[in-house]
Amino acid sequence: MHHSNKIIKVLFVLSSLATLTLADWFDNGNFYQIYPRSFKDSDGDGIGDLKGIKSKLQYVKYLGIDGVWLSPIMKSPMYDFGYDISDYRDIHSEYGTLSDFDDIVAECKRIGLHLILDFVPNHSSHEHEWFKKSERNESGFEDFYIWRNPKIDEVSNTPVPPTNWLSVFRYSAWRWSEIRQQMYYHLFQDKQPDLNYRNPQVVTEMKAILTYWLEKGVSGFRIDSIPSLFEKVEADGSFLDEPRSYNTDCDAHDHCYLKNIYTEDQPETYDMVYQWRKLVDDYSKVNNVERKILMVESAAPIDLNMKYYGNSTMEGAHFPFNFDLLLKLTKNSSATDYKIMIEEWLNKMPKGHMANWVLGNHDRSRIATRLGVEKGDLFNILLQTLPGAAITYQGEELVMENVPISWEDTIDPLACNSPKEELDIRSRDPVRTPFPWDDTKNAGFSTGNKTWLPVGEKYKTVNVKAQEEAINSHLKIFRKLTKIRKEARFKNGTYDGHILNNGNIYSYKRQNGNEFAIIILNFGTTDEIVNLSEIYSNITSHLKVYTSSLESGFKDG
Ligand SMILES: *[C@@H]1O[C@H](CO)[C@@H](O)[C@H](O)[C@H]1NC(C)=O
Ligand SMILES: *[C@@H]1O[C@H](CO)[C@@H](O)[C@H](O)[C@H]1NC(C)=O
Ligand SMILES: *[C@@H]1O[C@H](CO)[C@@H](O)[C@H](O)[C@H]1NC(C)=O
Ligand SMILES: *[C@@H]1O[C@H](CO)[C@@H](O)[C@H](O)[C@H]1NC(C)=O
Ligand SMILES: *[C@@H]1O[C@H](CO)[C@@H](O)[C@H](O)[C@H]1NC(C)=O
Ligand SMILES: *[C@@H]1O[C@H](CO)[C@@H](O)[C@H](O)[C@H]1NC(C)=O
Ligand SMILES: *[C@@H]1O[C@H](CO)[C@@H](O)[C@H](O)[C@H]1NC(C)=O
Ligand SMILES: CC(=O)N[C@H]1CO[C@H](CO)[C@@H](O)[C@@H]1O
Ligand SMILES: [Ca+2]
Ligand SMILES: [Ca+2]
C-alpha cells in the first residue's frame, strides 16, 4: 500500500457480507450521551426538554446507536444542573412531566433504542425532603446523611470541621447546619449532601428507586460518581484526616490536594454495585424482560476500576467507564502511548467482560479542542473499531469544539468556585452548549430569544443538516463506522495491534473467522507510507478503503 497524503488516518476493510451474532442487546454496544438541557428545546424557553429529546430520537437511531443515556432529568433545583436531585421519582419541571417521560420510553421502544438513565446515588439535593427531615433530626431520618460534630481547634478555640476532607468543587467538604447544630459532609457542593450508605434504610430506598424506573421501562442505568459512595469510619465512629497528595497541580483548596484514601474506593462500594447488579438481573428474570445494563462512572486507577466488573462469585457493573482516552492523553501522546493504554485495559479486564471507551462527556474539554479538530475523525474511527462498548457524547459525531464562555457568563459551579485565571481549565460550560441542528436561529436548538448557555459561533457550518447534505462529512464517516461495527469482525473479533513507521502509526486488525478489517491511525503530523505486509501475514492487494478521515484525501470504495 503506497499513499502519500497530508495526514493519513484510514480504515481499510475487506468487503464481504458478515454474519451477526446473537447476544444481549448491549454487547459491544454503541452508546450516546444526551445532555438534556442542551439537546433540543421544544417550547422556546431556551432550555432543552423531554419533548425536544423525543422529537430527535430518530436522529440518534439514524446515527446507529443502541443505547441512549440521558444526563439527570429528575427533579432538581439545578445547582449542579441535575446532579443534585430533590425527588428521585419525579421529572424536573423545566424538562417536562412523568407523562413526557413515558412518551420517550414508548418512542424508544417503537424505533428500537434502549433508554438508560443517569442515577446519582452519592448525594441528593439539600432540597430533598430526606435532607430537610434529617436536618430536623426527624425520627427515621437522623442518619440519612453524614453528620458529625465540629472539632474544637486547640489554637483558636473555635469550632472547625471534623476532618480536613475537601470538596470536588473546592474548599472544605463540611458545612454547618444551624438547624441541626452539626456539620454534614458534601463531596460536591454544600447543596449536594452525601447520603449515608451505612444506613440500611438509605440502601433500601435507593434500591426501590432503581426498581421504580425499571418498572417505567428503562433499559438500565449509568451510575454517577461511584467511587465516593462510602467513607471510611473508624471503630469509634470518627473519621480520620486524609494525607496530602503532594500533587503540584493542586492548591490547598483543591480536592486533589489530599490523597482520598478515606472518601473513595472503599470495599463496601464494590459490594453495593454487586447488589445493584443483582437487582437489575433479578428484575429481568422475574419479569421475563430483556437484560438491563449497569455502567458505573469511575475515574479510579485501573486496578481498582477492574473490581467494578465483579469478582469470582458476584457479577458487578457491565463495565466501569474507561476514561483513559479523556484523562491520560495529550496532544503530545504518541501512537505507542495509545496502544499501551488501550491494551492495558484489554489485558487487565477480567475474562468474559466488555471493554469500553469514552471519548467525551459533559465534564471534559471536547476531543477536537483537546487533541485537534483534524484528528476528530481519527478518534471516532478508534472509538468505533476497538473491541467493547463505544460511548459518544452528543456533538462528537459532528466533531464539535468547545464554545468559549466569558467569566461573566460562566454558570458552572466548579468554575464559579475557582479563581478567574483558571476559567479555561476548570469550566465545564464550554462543552455543555446547545446542540447545532442547522444554520437557523439558535442553530435550530430553540426558537426562543435566549438560550441557557450561548450557541457556539461555528454552528453555521458545524451542524447536523450541513453535514447530512455534504458529500462527505464527519457525520457521514461516523455513520459508516456505526454501520460496519455491527458486523461480527467488530462485534467480537480478535484484536491484534502494532506500531509502525517510527512510532507514528498505530494499526490493528479485527478478525472473526475469515472476515477482518485493518485500522490504520496516523498520530504523527506528516504523510506516511504504510507497508502492511510488514506486520500482517496474508495481506493481498484486495484491500478496499471502507472509510477514512476527511483530511486523508482517500475516496471510499
Ligand atoms: C440532632 O441529633 C444530633 C445527634 O444526636 C445532636 O447532636 C443534635 O444536637 C440534634 N439537633 C437537634 C436540633 O435536635
Ligand atoms: C465477592 O464479593 C462479595 C460481595 O462483596 C463478597 O462477599 C465475596 O467474598 C467476594 N468473593 C471473593 C472471592 O472475593
Ligand atoms: C507538549 O510538548 C511540548 C514540547 O515538548 C510542551 O511544551 C508542552 O507542554 C507539551 N504539552 C502537553 C499537553 O503535554
Ligand atoms: C423575542 O424578541 C422579539 C423581539 O424583541 C419579541 O417580539 C418576542 O416576543 C420575543 N419572544 C419571546 C419568546 O420572548
Ligand atoms: C464470536 O461469537 C460467536 C457466537 O457467539 C462465537 O461462535 C465466536 O467464536 C466468537 N468469535 C470470537 C473471535 O470471539
Ligand atoms: C513490504 O514488506 C514486505 C515484508 O517485509 C516486503 O517483502 C516488501 O518488499 C515491502 N514492500 C515495500 C514496497 O517496501
Ligand atoms: C494465510 O493463508 C493461508 C492460505 O490461505 C492459510 O492457510 C493460513 O492459515 C493464513 N494465515 C493466517 C495467519 O491467517
Ligand atoms: C462525568 C460525570 O458524570 N461527572 C459528574 C460527576 O458527578 C458530579 C456530581 O454529581 C457532577 O457534577 C459531574 O458532572
Ligand atoms: Ca424548553
Ligand atoms: Ca459519599
Side-chain angles (χ1 to χ4, degrees):
M1 278 284 144
H2 288 258
H3 280 293
S4 177
N5 293 88
K6 198 159 158 289
I7 298 180
I8 315 177
K9 295 156 226 137
V10 204
L11 170 70
F12 288 94
V13 158
L14 263 189
S15 66
S16 72
L17 280 175
T19 44
L20 294 179
T21 53
L22 280 177
D24 284 315
W25 67 268
F26 46 68
D27 281 345
N28 297 295
N30 217 349
F31 298 94
Y32 188 79
Q33 177 187 357
I34 286 182
Y35 195 70
R37 264 187 117 63
S38 286
F39 200 54
K40 175 69 184 168
D41 174 22
S42 72
D43 59 1
D45 70 352
I47 297 167
D49 47 53
L50 296 189
K51 283 199 168 77
I53 292 172
K54 179 174 172 245
S55 72
K56 294 295 185 184
L57 286 172
Q58 200 69 57
Y59 167 74
V60 179
K61 178 70 184 173
Y62 148 97
L63 285 178
I65 297 300
D66 305 303
V68 56
W69 71 271
L70 308 180
S71 274
I73 55 169
M74 296 164 195
K75 189 174 173 193
S76 164
M78 289 286 150
Y79 289 109
D80 193 19
F81 300 109
Y83 284 93
D84 51 324
I85 293 168
S86 55
D87 185 346
Y88 287 91
R89 289 182 168 86
D90 203 354
I91 300 291
H92 175 58
S93 57
E94 286 171 315
Y95 294 167
T97 61
L98 282 168
S99 153
D100 294 329
F101 180 77
D102 292 340
D103 289 347
I104 286 196
V105 173
E107 177 68 359
C108 281
K109 283 231 164 74
R110 194 180 71 79
I111 66 176
L113 267 179
H114 291 87
L115 184 69
I116 297 161
L117 285 190
D118 204 328
F119 179 56
V120 188
N122 176 68
H123 47 270
S124 72
S125 160
H126 68 313
E127 292 187 7
H128 198 292
E129 67 168 288
W130 296 336
F131 186 72
K132 293 184 189 158
K133 289 180 175 171
S134 193
E135 211 172 13
R136 293 192 299 259
N137 270 344
E138 265 183 41
S139 163
F141 293 90
E142 302 93 326
D143 296 326
F144 253 61
Y145 295 83
I146 298 165
W147 295 98
R148 289 294 183 276
N149 291 323
K151 278 196 310 211
I152 300 302
D153 182 66
E154 282 159 17
V155 180
S156 61
N157 200 30
T158 52
V160 293
T163 67
N164 66 348
W165 298 353
L166 292 164
S167 160
V168 169
F169 292 157
R170 293 168 55 79
Y171 305 102
S172 174
W174 292 97
R175 179 173 173 115
W176 173 254
S177 161
E178 274 303 327
I179 299 171
R180 169 113 173 191
Q181 293 290 302
Q182 279 191 302
M183 299 190 94
Y184 64 89
Y185 172 63
H186 58 88
L187 175 63
F188 295 93
Q189 290 172 85
D190 55 7
K191 299 179 177 66
Q192 295 166 289
D194 274 49
L195 284 156
N196 176 19
Y197 279 82
R198 295 185 189 280
N199 178 348
Q201 266 177 286
V202 170
V203 172
T204 305
E205 281 288 349
M206 294 319 259
K207 284 183 176 169
I209 287 160
L210 290 173
T211 305
Y212 171 84
W213 290 104
L214 289 171
E215 282 169 353
K216 288 205 165 293
V218 304
S219 296
F221 302 95
R222 174 272 188 194
I223 305 181
D224 181 59
S225 191
I226 197 74
S228 52
L229 216 53
F230 281 83
E231 296 73 29
K232 173 130 198 282
V233 186
E234 300 308 306
D236 66 356
S238 69
F239 293 129
L240 297 180
D241 279 352
E242 289 184 333
R244 280 195 55 184
S245 65
Y246 297 101
N247 178 342
T248 51
D249 288 341
C250 313
D251 71 39
H253 305 302
D254 278 332
H255 184 242
C256 53
Y257 183 76
L258 301 175
K259 250 197 189 139
N260 310 118
I261 56 173
Y262 300 131
T263 53
E264 278 179 7
D265 309 320
Q266 300 305 306
E268 296 87 346
T269 300
Y270 304 102
D271 183 55
M272 196 69 253
V273 172
Y274 304 168
Q275 290 185 39
W276 286 338
R277 171 63 185 272
K278 187 171 176 331
L279 183 148
V280 299
D281 281 358
D282 287 353
Y283 182 88
S284 301
K285 257 183 238 147
V286 169
N287 296 285
N288 194 24
V289 291
E290 62 167 19
R291 304 265 311 271
K292 309 290 182 181
I293 192 167
L294 266 196
M295 33 202 209
V296 297
E297 191 237 344
S298 158
I302 189 161
D303 293 316
L304 293 174
N305 246 347
M306 291 302 152
K307 295 164 73 171
Y308 289 111
Y309 277 115
N311 66 20
S312 54
T313 54
M314 301 278 288
E315 289 285 353
H318 291 89
F319 51 79
F321 275 177
N322 176 353
F323 286 145
D324 287 354
L325 286 167
L326 272 173
L327 303 179
K328 287 195 183 158
L329 301 168
T330 70
K331 274 190 170 152
N332 294 351
S333 300
S334 69
T336 308
D337 295 333
Y338 281 85
K339 180 170 179 284
I340 289 174
M341 185 214 86
I342 284 159
E343 291 177 2
E344 185 184 18
W345 190 282
L346 293 176
N347 294 334
K348 286 194 167 168
M349 185 176 64
K351 282 258 169 308
H353 286 82
M354 203 190 331
N356 76 100
W357 318 93
V358 181
L359 259 194
N361 65 24
H362 59 284
D363 277 356
R364 302 280 163 183
S365 182
R366 285 189 181 273
I367 196 104
T369 303
R370 206 151 31 85
L371 301 174
V373 183
E374 72 287 355
K375 288 209 171 74
D377 298 318
L378 180 152
F379 285 107
N380 281 331
I381 291 173
L382 179 75
L383 187 78
Q384 294 295 334
T385 60
L386 285 171
I391 297 138
T392 297
Y393 176 55
Q394 68 181 43
E396 302 292 51
E397 72 276 24
L398 306 172
V399 187
M400 263 181 93
E401 292 170 78
N402 287 0
V403 174
I405 310 277
S406 70
W407 175 253
E408 288 67 34
D409 291 338
T410 293
I411 51 179
D412 172 22
L414 173 58
C416 294
N417 267 347
S418 303
K420 189 175 170 181
E421 317 76 81
E422 294 178 10
L423 179 65
D424 282 352
I425 53 165
R426 305 259 189 192
S427 181
R428 302 175 296 174
D429 291 337
V431 301
R432 298 176 173 184
T433 59
F435 188 84
W437 293 101
D438 56 40
D439 64 359
T440 63
K441 181 181 176 184
N442 296 324
F445 162 73
S446 171
T447 56
N449 288 341
K450 199 165 142 273
T451 56
W452 79 286
L453 276 175
V455 173
E457 280 171 10
K458 293 201 173 161
Y459 82 89
K460 287 275 179 194
T461 51
V462 182
N463 65 63
V464 170
K465 186 159 177 281
Q467 294 200 15
E468 270 175 2
E469 285 171 1
I471 290 170
N472 199 4
S473 64
H474 303 303
L475 179 58
K476 287 201 162 162
I477 292 167
F478 189 88
R479 286 192 62 223
K480 287 198 91 168
L481 291 164
T482 59
K483 216 158 142 192
I484 196 166
R485 178 187 164 79
K486 296 198 172 19
E487 297 182 359
R489 54 191 145 176
F490 289 106
K491 248 186 131 59
N492 75 342
T494 54
Y495 160 95
D496 173 26
H498 299 272
I499 294 296
L500 54 165
N501 293 43
N502 298 320
N504 282 330
I505 303 281
Y506 171 32
S507 175
Y508 48 93
K509 189 181 187 190
R510 300 293 315 279
Q511 182 155 8
N512 190 307
N514 290 326
E515 292 156 8
F516 69 88
I518 291 173
I519 294 88
I520 304 169
L521 306 165
N522 182 355
F523 285 93
T525 52
T526 55
D527 301 355
E528 295 290 344
I529 296 170
V530 181
N531 182 351
L532 293 176
S533 305
E534 277 175 20
I535 43 173
Y536 303 112
S537 54
N538 286 8
I539 295 292
T540 65
S541 56
H542 303 307
L543 294 179
K544 151 182 159 179
V545 178
Y546 180 74
T547 193
S548 61
S549 67
L550 285 180
E551 289 78 9
S552 75
F554 278 99
K555 291 246 187 332
D556 303 353

